[in-house]
């Protein structure tokens, strides 16, 4: 079966393409390297190239790369750097020479060390292309998932298999793990999906358990095998014909699978579906679905070897051998950081294991499913009443829309994850529908209290509102199953196999601007959302404001065009409102119904009276005697308020890194930045907010004769949270043409704003824009665990229900105190005091960032010397130290929250 292709997620490249030739490099593709032909290179480097079967062209280019970065690297081991250069070269050239495991063994590094070394090569910000960075990210994600799965596999096998004298259990484990790796590679296109991979692992374990001789099983699993199943026996190939007379073995032992799922906190119905759809088909491809035999180890090894060589990444079998290239040092849990259960004596304390990726995923999924137990697949009685109260009953349209969207969602899910995973997509869609109904009902209840009306016909017959609400519900489900960090920060197109945000927008053909309108109301309507999911949705909102809402087809541009062409003297959002607190009392109804308001403000913005009147009537009348003005879009106004606050927050961080000695420049840069967003919003089309931010900073420093180079700005920008190198390496210049941010500045930004920029050098500069008030995130709820100030290890959390108990809500490996209940011995409190006191010292240690990075000795990021004509050093020690100081402050603040 051909390997699954996975794109890198950029428009520049297609990532690592699997090639059948990689299993056995063709002599024409990889001719023998000779010392005579490469006498200008180090002999050990040529030997490494021969070991890895690279071509002459790869050898030459890797050596050129090595000579480029040689002086800038402080790594003593040249061979390791050579390996990194070869990896970068073959990835950029997209040639099949060696696997990641092969190069790791050649240079004696483990995965994490090698990934870190490759990224360090990017000393000039153009050494590592977005193509290489995408490949690194993909490989790292796959490694993290495989490591987590192996750790759980090893732990589970200890509970399943009994130790026997001949070590048969170890051989069984090897066959089982190898088969799982092969199944994962063939079944899943998205090979870093932790949950489905884990479900496949349980299916594989079920197969091996029911075929094990009884003496190889622990009592729990020996008794879990269905009694109707005849005990498995060894059958040789030549005697298989005799075995056919026996009744065929059941395809799936339901009782055994349910035991496995219960022991591993996994939903049994989902695993059964994975077995029946994906795993059974995989067994059929090996002709093993009804065979009572164990799979032949040699056959599995051979087939997995072919798959691994084609994928060119990590040999997962090495986990079984404890190979240093794949295993990371084990971190022991300190006794003081374990969590004893309440009301138990010291000697009876039960230690809860630390939170692992799989445990965290299973807990999150259980919590989500638990929240939706009472929610049905059809509208509740209350929701049905709201539908019936409408002037036009939306029920049939809602059901038809769900049917159409379910088909689109499940098909696209199957295309991304695996062709036999369509039914899994339908399962997740069903959960999303339950959440959609639940949140919609809560929204309508809230609106009814706010407005004292029951007829929501206009809102409930708005197709965009329903699609956006369903998309948000499904994003919550997908984030819960896939990990809340799954979103695409980069500016390029997504990989075909990514289902992270904004994938759902593409599936439903929904604009980001419309999706944005529902996020805040969705969070408020469902207080059971976990802290991680709320943070994920907030990040989605920021991604929309930063770049996704600015794509060419976005309705945002039409709204802005109407606002400006309407002749409104008023701005998108008046500067006077910047200093006012951003109130969060608007609702989805306000935004989707697009309530309009007069250009002037008779009432304070977003006051309860204004909000209510806007929702109840679509157009407010102008006061008598005033000239009518073009009305404003409520959704556009709110979008710009949030956009300005996000933009200024990011600008302030960057200024603190670079311009702490020039505080007077920050408001000037902000004025230019804000002017650009307001009047030159076309510059945002298919671009990123941060690209305009960095350009505005460079422009003002240039005109104010402050020596700040673009290379310095970009170096500092990389240290900010949620940034991607593609933002400054891959900027739209003209249609279809991309280049670095310095080219964008020179050819686009400066040309468009030259007159405005030069005004800041005159004796009468433009009036400064007011500074937006930066509020705390509105998405903070009291039901989240709160860290005790000054401590990293102590949390407090309200006890609302058994499902929301501190045992679930409080991070694992934390000590727990529930006020009002017996805690046991006083020594417990002494331990907590020790933890709090010792946390100060450990906290200080975490802020020790070490010595400053080695200064850059060359600059190749800027083009034609336009940014650094004199060739002087661009990143000096003071800038580095200021960046480090600011980073420490931010880390300290984050720990205090």
């Amino acid at each position: 079966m051909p390997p699954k292709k996975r794109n890198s997620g950029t428009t520049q490249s297609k990532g690592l393409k699997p090639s059948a030739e990689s299993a056995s490099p063709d002599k024409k593709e990889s001719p023998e390297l000779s010392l005579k032909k490469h006498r200008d290179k180090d002999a050990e480097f040529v030997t490494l190239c021969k070991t890895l079967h690279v071509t002459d062209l790869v050898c030459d280019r890797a050596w050129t790369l090595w000579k480029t970065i040689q002086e800038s690297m402080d790594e003593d081991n040249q061979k390791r750097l050579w390996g990194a250069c070869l990896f970068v070269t073959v990835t950029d050239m997209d040639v099949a020479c060696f696997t990641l495991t092969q190069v790791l063994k050649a240079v004696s590094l483990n995965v994490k060390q090698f990934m870190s070394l490759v990224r360090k090569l990017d000393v000039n910000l153009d050494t590592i292309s977005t193509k290489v960075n995408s490949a690194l990210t993909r490989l790292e994600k796959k490694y993290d998932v495989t490591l987590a799965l192996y750790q759980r596999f090893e732990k589970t096998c200890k509970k399943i298999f009994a130790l026997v004298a001949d070590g048969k259990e170890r051989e069984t484990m090897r066959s089982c793990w190898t088969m799982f790796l092969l199944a994962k590679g063939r079944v899943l296109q998205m090979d870093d999906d932790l949950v489905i991979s884990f479900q496949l692992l349980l299916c594989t374990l079920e197969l091996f358990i029911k075929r094990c001789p009884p003496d190889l099983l622990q009592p729990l699993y020996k008794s879990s095998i269905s009694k109707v199943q005849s005990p498995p026996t060894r059958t040789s190939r030549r005697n298989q014909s005799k075995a056919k007379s026996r009744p065929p073995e059941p395809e799936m032992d339901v009782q055994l699978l349910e035991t496995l799922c219960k022991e591993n906190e996994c939903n049994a119905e989902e695993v059964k579906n994975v077995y029946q759809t994906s795993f059974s088909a995989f067994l059929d491809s090996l002709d093993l679905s009804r065979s009572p035999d164990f799979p032949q180890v040699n056959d599995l090894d051979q087939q997995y070897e072919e798959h691994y060589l084609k994928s060119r990444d990590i040999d997962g079998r090495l986990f079984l051998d404890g190979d240093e290239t794949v295993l990371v040092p084990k971190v022991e849990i300190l006794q003081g950081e374990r969590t004893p259960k309440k009301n138990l004596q010291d000697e009876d304390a039960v230690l809860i294991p630390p939170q692992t990726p799989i445990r965290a995923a299973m807990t999150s999924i259980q919590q989500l499913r638990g929240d939706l137990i009472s929610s049905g697949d059809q509208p509740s009685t209350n929701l049905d009443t709201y539908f019936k109260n409408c002037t036009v009953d939306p029920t049939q349209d809602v059901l038809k829309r769900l049917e159409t969207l379910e088909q689109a969602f499940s098909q696209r899910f199957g295309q991304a994850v695996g062709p036999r995973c369509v039914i899994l997509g339908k399962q997740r869609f069903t959960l999303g529908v339950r959440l959609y109904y639940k949140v919609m009902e809560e929204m309508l209840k809230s609106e009814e209290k706010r407005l004292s009306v029951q007829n929501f016909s206009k809102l409930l017959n708005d197709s965009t509102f329903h699609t956006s609400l369903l998309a948000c519900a499904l994003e919550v489900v997908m984030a819960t199953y896939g990990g809340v960090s799954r979103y695409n920060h980069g500016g390029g197109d997504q990989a075909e196999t990514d289902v992270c945000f904004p994938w759902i927008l593409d599936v439903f053909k929904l604009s980001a601007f419309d999706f944005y309108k529902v996020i805040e109301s969705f969070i408020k309507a469902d207080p059971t959302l976990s802290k991680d999911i709320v943070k994920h949705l907030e990040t989605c909102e920021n991604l929309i404001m930063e770049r996704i809402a600015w794509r060419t087809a976005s309705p945002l541009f039409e709204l802005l065009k109407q606002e400006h062409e309407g002749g409104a003297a008023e701005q998108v959002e008046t500067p006077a409102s910047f200093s006012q607190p951003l109130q969060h009392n608007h609702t989805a109804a306000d935004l989707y119904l697009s309530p309009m308001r007069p250009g002037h403000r008779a009432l304070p913005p977003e006051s309860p009276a204004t909000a209510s009147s806007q929702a109840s009537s679509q157009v407010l009348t102008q006061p008598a005697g005033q000239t009518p003005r073009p009305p404003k879009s409520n959704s556009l106004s709110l979008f710009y308020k949030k956009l300005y606050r996000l933009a200024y927050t990011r600008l302030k961080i960057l200024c603190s890194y670079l311009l702490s000695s020039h505080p007077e420049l920050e408001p000037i840069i902000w004025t230019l930045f804000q002017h650009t967003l307001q009047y030159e919003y076309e510059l945002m089309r298919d671009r990123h907010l941060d690209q305009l931010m960095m350009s505005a900073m460079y422009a003002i420093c240039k005109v104010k004769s402050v020596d700040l180079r673009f290379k310095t700005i970009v170096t500092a920008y990389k240290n900010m949270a949620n940034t991607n190198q593609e933002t400054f390496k891959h900027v739209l210049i003209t249609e279809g043409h991309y280049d670095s941010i310095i080219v964008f500045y020179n050819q686009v930004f400066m040309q468009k704003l030259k007159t405005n920029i030069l005004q800041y050098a005159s004796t009468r500069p433009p009036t400064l824009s007011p500074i937006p008030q930066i509020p705390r995130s509105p998405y903070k709820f009291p039901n989240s665990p709160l860290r005790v100030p000054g401590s990293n290890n102590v949390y407090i959390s309200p006890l609302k229900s058994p499902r929301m108990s501190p045992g679930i809500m409080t991070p694992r490996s934390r000590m727990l105190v529930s006020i009002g209940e017996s805690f046991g011995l006083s020594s417990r409190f002494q331990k907590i005091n020790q933890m709090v006191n010792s946390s100060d010292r450990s906290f200080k240690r975490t802020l020790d960032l070490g010595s400053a990075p080695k200064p850059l000795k060359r600059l190749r990021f800027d083009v034609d010397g336009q940014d650094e004509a004199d060739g002087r050093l661009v990143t000096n020690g003071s800038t580095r130290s200021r960046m480090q100081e600011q980073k420490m402050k931010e880390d300290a603040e984050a720990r205090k929250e």
Side-chain angles (χ1 to χ4, degrees):
M1 183 173 178
K4 307 298 187 295
K5 186 176 79 171
R6 175 162 184 157
N7 287 349
S8 65
T10 69
T11 54
Q12 287 180 319
S13 63
K14 296 181 180 178
L16 286 170
K17 288 184 178 178
S19 169
E21 295 174 8
S22 58
S24 179
D26 189 5
K27 291 183 179 180
K28 294 181 180 178
E29 179 68 20
S30 299
E32 284 293 315
L33 300 176
S34 65
L35 290 175
K36 291 182 179 179
K37 193 169 186 179
H38 299 283
R39 63 180 60 182
D40 59 321
K41 304 176 182 66
D42 191 294
E44 290 186 19
F45 175 80
V46 178
T47 301
L48 178 62
C49 291
K50 292 179 68 175
T51 302
L52 295 174
H53 305 288
V54 304
T55 64
D56 285 322
L57 182 58
V58 170
C59 181
D60 288 336
R61 290 191 180 179
W63 183 255
T64 301
L65 175 59
W66 153 249
K67 298 302 289 184
T68 302
I69 56 94
Q70 181 178 6
E71 295 181 0
S72 303
M73 298 297 293
D74 55 3
E75 172 68 41
D76 294 331
N77 192 319
Q78 287 189 347
K79 188 175 181 179
R80 292 176 174 178
L81 288 172
W82 292 339
C85 289
L86 284 165
F87 175 85
V88 170
T89 302
V90 298
T91 304
D92 268 326
M93 294 177 63
D94 202 9
V95 295
C97 296
F98 50 80
T99 68
L100 178 59
T101 289
Q102 287 168 347
V103 73
L104 291 175
K105 286 188 170 295
V107 299
S108 302
L109 283 175
N110 67 39
V111 175
K112 292 293 186 180
Q113 291 170 331
F114 185 77
M115 298 286 182
S116 176
L117 182 62
V118 172
R119 289 193 168 101
K120 285 180 181 177
L121 296 185
D122 204 19
V123 290
N124 295 302
L125 303 179
D126 60 354
T127 309
I128 303 300
S129 66
T130 54
K131 180 177 182 178
V132 173
N133 191 62
S134 295
L136 281 175
T137 301
R138 181 186 67 83
L139 288 169
E140 197 163 21
K141 282 182 180 179
K142 183 175 180 180
Y143 166 76
D144 289 338
V145 166
T146 308
L147 175 63
L149 290 167
Y150 179 74
Q151 290 172 337
R152 173 56 71 95
F153 170 77
E154 194 173 41
K155 180 180 177 182
T156 304
C157 284
K158 290 179 181 178
K159 297 179 181 179
I160 296 174
F161 300 113
L163 297 177
V164 291
D166 59 356
K168 200 68 178 177
E169 79 286 345
R170 195 67 190 174
E171 180 185 336
T172 305
M173 284 178 61
R174 176 172 291 277
S175 297
C176 184
W177 177 250
T178 305
M179 174 179 267
F180 161 68
L181 292 174
L182 184 60
K184 184 165 77 81
R186 290 190 177 180
V187 169
L188 297 180
Q189 291 175 186
M190 195 171 68
D191 47 18
D192 61 358
D193 189 297
L194 179 64
V195 174
I196 301 180
S197 295
F198 181 56
Q199 292 167 343
L200 268 175
L201 178 58
L202 295 182
C203 294
T204 311
L205 284 167
E206 184 270 354
L207 179 77
F208 275 78
I209 292 171
K210 70 187 180 186
R211 298 184 182 189
C212 268
D215 61 342
L216 198 58
L217 296 176
Q218 299 274 20
L220 172 63
Y221 289 95
K222 189 185 301 183
S223 62
S224 296
I225 299 176
S226 298
K227 299 297 184 290
V228 297
Q229 187 175 345
S230 55
T233 58
R234 287 285 193 182
T235 307
S236 64
R237 289 183 180 274
R238 67 180 61 180
N239 293 327
Q240 282 183 359
S241 58
K242 297 179 182 179
K244 289 180 181 178
S245 60
R246 288 188 324 194
E249 181 183 359
E251 290 186 6
M252 176 178 61
D253 189 327
V254 176
Q255 179 178 318
L256 175 57
L257 201 60
E258 287 178 347
T259 300
L260 273 168
C261 292
K262 182 179 179 181
E263 288 295 302
N264 288 278
E265 305 169 289
C266 196
N267 183 267
E269 289 304 314
E270 292 184 355
V271 179
K272 290 175 188 176
N273 279 324
V274 171
Y275 198 113
Q276 292 167 343
T277 57
S278 301
F279 192 65
S280 291
F282 165 73
L283 292 179
D284 286 341
S285 71
L286 298 180
D287 197 23
L288 288 171
S289 57
R290 292 182 181 272
S291 169
D293 288 336
F294 277 114
Q296 295 295 316
V297 179
N298 292 338
D299 291 344
L300 291 175
D301 266 330
Q302 181 179 353
Q303 293 190 55
Y304 177 72
E305 180 84 8
E306 293 174 2
H307 169 77
Y308 146 68
L309 290 172
K310 288 177 182 178
S311 64
R312 284 190 282 159
D313 48 31
I314 302 164
D315 186 348
R317 295 169 298 185
L318 295 177
F319 287 98
L320 289 160
D321 304 323
D323 193 281
E324 293 181 355
T325 60
V326 294
L327 292 184
V328 293
K330 294 183 178 180
V331 180
E332 294 186 3
I333 306 168
L334 298 178
Q335 184 67 27
E337 292 184 345
R338 296 177 184 265
T339 308
K341 287 188 175 180
K342 302 189 297 293
N343 302 327
L344 292 175
Q345 298 298 320
D346 256 359
E347 60 273 12
D348 298 326
V350 178
L351 298 179
I352 299 175
Q355 190 80 308
T356 63
I358 292 178
R359 180 181 295 276
M362 296 302 107
T363 301
S364 298
I365 292 169
Q366 282 182 335
Q367 178 175 326
L368 174 67
R369 299 181 71 91
D371 290 339
L372 299 175
I373 285 177
S374 59
S375 302
D377 299 335
Q378 299 292 326
S380 66
T381 304
N382 288 338
L383 190 56
D384 189 58
T385 301
Y386 281 118
F387 288 172
K388 294 292 188 291
N389 285 337
C390 291
T391 307
V392 178
D393 189 341
T395 304
Q396 292 305 312
D397 285 341
V398 167
L399 295 178
K400 285 182 180 178
R401 186 183 302 108
L402 288 176
E403 185 179 349
T404 302
L405 293 178
E406 179 186 27
Q407 186 175 5
F409 179 87
S410 56
Q411 286 180 351
R412 287 290 298 275
F413 185 88
Q415 291 171 13
V417 179
R420 297 186 179 274
C421 295
V422 171
I423 191 170
L424 302 181
K426 290 184 177 180
Q427 284 183 318
R428 297 189 187 182
F429 188 88
T430 299
L431 284 177
V433 169
R434 292 178 181 178
L435 183 57
Y436 156 77
Y437 282 142
K438 173 188 174 184
V439 171
M440 190 194 312
E441 183 177 336
E442 292 303 317
M443 282 183 174
L444 295 176
K445 286 179 182 178
S446 177
E447 288 295 295
E448 183 179 0
K449 288 181 181 179
R450 189 170 73 100
L451 303 175
S452 299
V453 296
Q454 293 182 329
N455 187 340
F456 298 102
S457 185
K458 190 170 183 65
L459 178 67
L460 292 179
N461 282 280
D462 187 320
S463 177
T464 304
F465 164 71
H466 284 285
T467 305
S468 300
L469 187 62
L470 177 63
C472 196
L474 284 167
E475 181 59 32
V476 169
V477 172
M478 297 297 284
T480 302
Y481 275 82
V484 294
S485 61
R486 294 183 66 88
Y487 35 74
N488 180 8
H489 277 297
D493 294 335
Q494 285 183 265
E496 292 176 357
T497 54
D498 278 346
V499 293
C500 55
F501 187 80
W503 176 80
I504 190 65
L505 303 184
D506 184 46
V507 173
F508 286 174
K509 295 183 172 42
L510 180 67
S511 78
F513 185 70
D514 287 324
F515 181 85
Y516 139 85
K517 296 177 187 176
V518 81
I519 294 176
E520 189 172 322
S521 292
F522 190 101
I523 293 172
K524 290 178 179 178
D526 189 0
T528 65
L529 293 176
S530 70
K531 182 179 179 181
D532 285 338
I533 289 295
V534 170
K535 185 177 179 181
H536 173 77
L537 291 178
E538 186 177 14
T539 302
C540 293
E541 185 180 67
N542 288 343
L543 287 173
I544 289 170
M545 291 188 288
E546 288 171 5
R547 63 178 179 86
I548 306 174
W550 300 100
R551 290 175 177 172
T552 293
S554 173
L556 178 60
F557 288 103
E558 183 61 31
L559 274 174
L560 285 166
K561 183 180 178 182
Q562 292 174 3
E563 190 79 16
H564 285 263
E565 286 184 351
E570 195 173 4
Q571 302 169 6
V572 174
E573 193 53 48
T574 58
S577 68
F578 292 172
S579 57
Q580 297 172 347
L582 180 59
Q583 307 209 5
H584 299 275
N585 52 8
H586 37 263
T587 67
D590 292 335
L591 304 182
Y592 282 99
L593 296 178
S594 297
M596 313 304 284
R597 66 185 181 203
H600 83 294
R601 286 206 174 91
L603 292 169
E606 299 174 337
S607 68
T610 308
S612 299
S613 60
Q614 288 165 356
S616 58
S617 64
Q618 293 307 296
V619 179
L620 293 177
T621 57
Q622 290 283 352
Q626 286 197 3
T627 305
R629 284 185 176 181
K632 292 185 64 176
S633 165
N634 215 28
S635 57
L636 182 61
S637 174
L638 175 63
F639 179 84
Y640 256 78
K641 281 183 179 180
K642 287 191 172 184
L643 175 69
Y644 284 155
R645 284 163 172 81
L646 174 65
Y648 179 69
T649 300
R650 296 186 69 74
L651 175 64
K652 189 173 182 66
I653 294 171
L654 195 58
C655 285
S656 66
Y657 282 165
L658 300 170
L659 297 173
S660 58
S661 57
H662 296 278
E664 73 283 357
L665 294 184
E666 182 183 304
I668 302 175
I669 298 169
W670 165 244
T671 301
L672 175 60
F673 190 14
Q674 185 270 323
H675 169 89
T676 308
L677 292 173
Q678 179 181 332
Y679 294 107
E680 304 294 345
Y681 57 85
E682 278 292 331
L683 286 175
M684 279 295 298
R685 189 181 293 271
D686 294 324
R687 296 191 179 99
H688 195 291
L689 180 70
D690 292 346
Q691 293 164 355
L692 271 62
M693 174 184 71
M694 289 185 277
S695 296
M697 174 176 281
Y698 181 77
I700 294 301
C701 288
K702 198 83 170 176
V703 81
K704 292 293 185 181
S705 300
V706 173
D707 186 17
L708 182 64
R709 313 301 173 86
F710 242 121
K711 176 62 180 293
T712 314
I713 294 174
V714 168
T715 302
Y717 176 76
K718 286 175 64 179
N719 287 276
M720 292 174 60
N722 300 330
T723 59
N724 187 290
Q725 66 168 345
E726 196 167 87
T727 304
F728 54 83
K729 289 187 175 182
H730 192 70
V731 189
L732 178 66
I733 308 302
T734 58
E735 185 176 357
H737 174 57
Y738 293 81
D739 212 313
S740 67
I741 191 169
I742 187 65
V743 177
F744 164 72
Y745 174 83
N746 285 322
Q747 296 185 11
V748 182
F749 188 88
M750 187 180 66
Q751 302 303 323
K752 190 75 173 177
L753 291 161
K754 189 172 184 178
T755 302
N756 186 270
I757 293 170
L758 292 176
Q759 290 178 1
Y760 293 96
S762 67
T763 56
R764 300 180 63 184
T767 304
L768 297 179
S769 296
I771 300 298
Q773 184 178 94
I774 304 176
R776 282 186 173 272
S777 167
Y779 310 123
K780 305 292 184 186
F781 299 96
N783 65 343
S784 297
L786 302 177
R787 185 185 291 112
V788 175
S791 169
N792 292 331
N793 298 325
V794 181
Y795 287 74
I796 57 174
S797 177
L799 183 62
K800 296 180 65 176
S801 68
R803 188 195 57 73
M804 300 286 282
S805 67
I808 294 177
M809 294 183 62
T810 305
R812 304 283 178 171
S813 75
R814 308 300 191 212
M815 293 194 70
L816 174 69
V817 178
S818 182
I819 305 301
E821 297 184 29
S822 173
F823 187 62
L825 301 177
S826 60
S827 59
R828 297 272 178 84
F829 288 103
Q830 293 174 1
K831 289 181 180 179
I832 293 179
N833 289 334
Q834 291 172 0
M835 286 162 52
V836 174
N837 293 333
S838 64
S839 67
D840 292 336
R841 292 188 293 274
S842 62
F843 178 58
K844 291 175 182 177
R845 284 196 299 269
T846 62
L847 297 183
D848 182 10
L849 300 182
S851 58
K854 188 173 181 179
L856 298 166
K857 294 184 178 180
R858 38 192 307 120
L859 174 67
R860 294 185 290 114
F861 177 75
D862 304 320
V863 295
D864 299 328
Q866 293 169 321
D867 189 31
E868 191 187 43
D870 56 2
R872 287 180 297 168
L873 187 68
V874 298
T875 306
N876 54 42
S878 61
T879 300
R880 290 282 189 183
S881 61
R882 287 200 304 272
M883 289 166 56
Q884 287 187 341
E885 290 172 5
Q886 180 61 27
K887 189 73 174 173
M888 289 191 290
K889 290 178 182 178
E890 289 176 2
D891 291 343
E893 289 299 322
R895 287 180 173 85
K896 291 178 182 177
E897 291 184 358

